[in-house]
Amino acid sequence: MPSLETQTLDNLGLPGLEARLKENLGCLLYPGKDWVPPRAGVTDIVIIGGGMCGMVAWLSLTTGGMRNIRVLDQAPKGREGPWLTYARMETLRSPKTLTGPAFGHGTLTFQAWYRAQFGSEAWEALDKIPRPMWMEYLQWYRETLEIPIENGVSVDQVAPEGNLLRLSVSGVEAETILCRKLIFATGRDGTGGPNIPGFVKDLPRDLWAHSADEIDFAALRNKRVAVIGVGASAVDNAAEALEHGAAEVRHLVRRKEMPTINKMMGIGSFGFTAGFAALPEEWRWRFMQYSFATQTPPPHGSTLRVSRHDNAYFHFDKETIRIEQRDTGAEIFFADGTSYCADFVILGTGFVIDPMARTEFGETAGNILLWQDVYTPPKGEENADLGRFPFLNPDFTFREKQPGTAPWLSHVYCFNYGASASLGKISGDIPGISEGAAWLAREVAAKLYAEDVEAHWQGMLDYDTPELVGHEWEPTALGQDSPEGKVA
Ligand SMILES: Cc1cc2nc3c(=O)[nH]c(=O)nc-3n(C[C@H](O)[C@H](O)[C@H](O)COP(=O)(O)OP(=O)(O)OC[C@H]3O[C@@H](n4cnc5c(N)ncnc54)[C@H](O)[C@@H]3O)c2cc1C
């Protein structure tokens, strides 16, 4: 009998952890029984995006026995999502104990992965998860579960074909894919794009960048850098510029003061996850609008990473109204009549949700039902950004503005941040994604089953494997059931 000590995860090593995970999955009879009737030349489900959400969606669907799935990602292998591309924070904001995409498997958590390699002392000593390490963990997750992500494949456009969807893709030989269900696990900007304010419209591109762009920070050495905004990405970009030797970095912030309380994180609970989507529109709007209005503060560590530099500044109540090119750089004008000249401007303005910004939907993007089409908030709760979120069905699918004009949208699932106004925080940030994935798989399964109900009914009629073969009992006439007449 091995001692308890040798049974812990600590220093088990990744091969040992993988063996445990596989044993665990085996006990749960993973993957689930294959039940979707095959259709020649048709993929049952395509997932766009091989990031965290796409991967946990795949795990959830395969757990439910849906196996004919393709996962496509335009990014090269190992470069999916923001973690090694434009995310610039040193550590994740979320606590290290989050279970994220583990989908109920303790051995699939970040904690297990970390302790198996470094032991529990190191685990106790770890403060926050270093950003590149989170990506290393996600890569391990992918390899261990053998998720067949096809990298370098971009979904360019979706169009209906009968009851199916025809995807135009680039990066693979066959240029189109026919599928039944399509999941947009396309990320933080996956139902929109970077928020580019109009004031940079006429500014030459070498004078500004959005925080999600590739930025040559070395070129900012000895330069005056203006960062518009003070959210998480704004401060991380400011810190990068400072660490690369910028002469000065100034946060130019429209708000009058720094947001300090992370409201959404504070109220996070299973109740909120399970209950949000069932609330009436007015309540869902109220929660989201309040969270938008109060704003999420930049993380503690990221803020210190900036403020420890003497040449870093936070200027509040500085609403940028226009920027003009000068011989000396870019002159930024504020609503209060003042101005400041920078050599380079970084937009820490975040992302917008706006289906019109996604090319994948073609012209149908304009036909996607939005919150602003169905809900008029009371005075004081107006919010144009929130109004552009898609108003989804409870099963994550998009809806059409004009019923009957694009019914195919009901086969397209929004499994990204864009779903949050309708369904809550279950398809973007790390904490709620396993719950979201479980919910998504159930809804996809229910729809696939309903569409094939005749085949399933025929399967019931055709099923003829006996459980009893005839020798297990003997009928007797009532009154003649003497002990001798019974089956031995
Ligand atoms: C800078 C930054 C820091 C964050 N930090 C945290 C944090 O600390 N804690 C937290 O809980 N959350 C954080 N988040 C939020 C969230 O966890 C991340 O956005 C996370 O990446 C979401 O995972 P995802 O799978 O939805 O999207 P992603 O990881 O972005 O994956 C989406 C994938 O879809 C692919 N894709 C998109 N469109 C197409 C297409 N047409 N064809 C093919 N492929 C396509 C992309 O290439 C990408 O790889 C952060 C977000 C950002 C942007």
Side-chain angles (χ1 to χ4, degrees):
M1 173 92 177
S3 74
L4 268 183
E5 192 149 334
T6 56
Q7 289 179 350
T8 73
L9 294 168
D10 297 330
N11 302 311
L12 187 65
L14 289 183
L17 182 64
E18 283 151 27
R20 276 201 194 178
L21 171 65
K22 291 208 165 135
E23 194 174 6
N24 170 25
L25 293 173
C27 290
L28 294 169
L29 306 184
Y30 175 84
K33 177 185 165 188
D34 194 357
W35 56 269
V36 186
R39 299 186 185 192
V42 177
T43 303
D44 290 333
I45 304 158
V46 169
I47 300 174
I48 314 180
M52 190 173 69
C53 282
M55 291 199 292
V56 71
W58 179 89
L59 175 59
S60 181
L61 291 162
T62 51
T63 300
M66 289 159 274
R67 307 226 191 146
N68 180 10
I69 304 175
R70 289 179 73 174
V71 188
L72 314 175
D73 199 304
Q74 63 198 10
K77 187 165 186 234
R79 306 282 296 171
E80 303 84 4
W83 312 111
L84 296 186
T85 49
Y86 64 86
R88 301 190 168 108
M89 64 282 191
E90 289 175 330
T91 65
L92 297 198
R93 178 203 290 267
S94 323
K96 66 181 177 184
T97 45
L98 49 75
T99 52
F103 200 63
H105 305 292
T107 45
L108 253 188
T109 57
F110 176 83
Q111 178 176 173
W113 176 83
Y114 188 93
R115 281 177 44 206
Q117 294 176 91
F118 312 113
S120 56
E121 258 182 54
W123 170 250
E124 293 306 326
L126 180 72
D127 176 26
K128 292 272 172 87
I129 302 174
R131 174 178 49 80
M133 187 178 265
W134 178 251
M135 189 62 190
E136 249 183 83
Y137 157 73
L138 290 178
Q139 286 300 292
W140 171 80
Y141 181 102
R142 167 189 182 158
E143 299 297 337
T144 304
L145 290 172
E146 297 172 42
I147 305 177
I149 300 171
E150 298 170 54
N151 284 99
V153 181
S154 158
V155 174
D156 301 329
Q157 207 153 46
V158 188
E161 187 164 311
N163 282 334
L164 302 173
L165 301 171
R166 173 77 67 184
L167 311 186
S168 306
V169 298
S170 44
V172 274
E173 271 166 35
E175 283 170 356
T176 66
I177 298 173
L178 207 51
C179 72
R180 294 179 65 183
K181 307 287 166 220
L182 179 63
I183 297 172
F184 268 73
T186 40
R188 181 66 185 73
D189 55 340
T191 315
N195 179 20
I196 311 290
F199 53 66
V200 291
K201 197 167 49 81
D202 299 323
L203 203 60
R205 206 56 183 85
D206 59 348
L207 285 179
W208 68 275
H210 185 270
S211 63
D213 288 334
E214 226 176 87
I215 298 176
D216 179 3
F217 283 96
L220 300 183
R221 191 174 168 74
N222 297 326
K223 295 278 162 63
R224 297 162 299 168
V225 179
V227 176
I228 310 280
V230 76
S233 288
V235 289
D236 290 323
N237 279 270
E240 283 285 318
L242 289 159
E243 288 164 12
H244 281 80
E248 60 178 37
V249 174
R250 294 181 187 271
H251 279 281
L252 305 170
V253 189
R254 183 174 44 188
R255 301 179 67 81
K256 289 195 170 34
E257 50 199 36
M258 185 76 129
T260 53
I261 301 170
N262 193 338
K263 295 275 184 179
M264 271 296 184
M265 190 185 257
I267 62 161
S269 71
F270 184 73
F272 185 73
T273 302
F276 181 87
L279 293 172
E281 280 129 36
E282 68 211 72
W283 274 113
R284 283 184 279 167
W285 181 277
R286 190 166 296 154
F287 274 108
M288 288 297 289
Q289 198 278 333
Y290 184 68
S291 131
F292 275 30
T294 51
Q295 286 197 328
T296 306
H300 178 77
S302 300
T303 311
L304 289 176
R305 191 178 157 208
V306 172
S307 59
R308 68 169 171 248
H309 295 267
D310 291 339
N311 52 344
Y313 304 89
F314 295 85
H315 302 291
F316 295 93
D317 204 6
K318 287 287 172 197
E319 182 183 357
T320 302
I321 50 170
R322 70 176 198 282
I323 308 185
E324 289 176 11
Q325 184 180 12
R326 296 274 178 267
D327 292 344
T328 50
E331 184 164 6
I332 305 167
F333 294 87
F334 307 108
D336 64 4
T338 59
S339 72
Y340 164 70
C341 197
D343 296 309
F344 194 72
V345 180
I346 299 179
L347 300 175
T349 42
F351 299 95
V352 284
I353 295 296
D354 177 10
M356 289 293 282
R358 300 301 299 192
T359 52
E360 295 95 329
F361 291 104
E363 287 183 2
T364 305
N367 202 1
I368 290 176
L369 189 72
L370 307 179
W371 271 81
Q372 68 194 20
D373 302 322
V374 292
Y375 183 66
T376 307
K379 207 167 166 13
E381 289 186 20
E382 301 88 349
N383 190 313
D385 291 340
L386 191 51
R388 280 190 293 273
F389 273 65
F391 188 83
L392 301 177
N393 286 311
D395 65 358
F396 291 91
T397 56
F398 290 98
R399 297 167 67 156
E400 30 177 6
K401 272 195 178 61
Q402 301 295 331
T405 49
W408 59 274
L409 288 173
S410 67
H411 301 297
V412 184
Y413 295 74
C414 178
F415 195 53
N416 59 50
Y417 180 71
S420 55
S422 300
L423 305 177
K425 304 280 258 179
I426 50 168
S427 53
D429 292 347
I430 300 167
I433 50 171
S434 285
E435 276 94 350
W439 179 353
L440 174 77
R442 207 179 169 83
E443 297 294 352
V444 174
K447 232 176 201 166
L448 288 173
Y449 197 87
E451 285 170 8
D452 289 333
V453 67
E454 285 179 14
H456 293 300
W457 169 243
Q458 193 58 46
M460 187 167 186
L461 298 180
D462 295 347
Y463 183 71
D464 59 0
T465 308
E467 189 168 334
L468 298 176
V469 290
H471 67 73
E472 297 90 345
W473 81 100
E474 195 168 291
T476 50
L478 190 59
Q480 292 185 1
D481 49 354
S482 61
E484 305 83 60
K486 289 212 156 188
V487 180

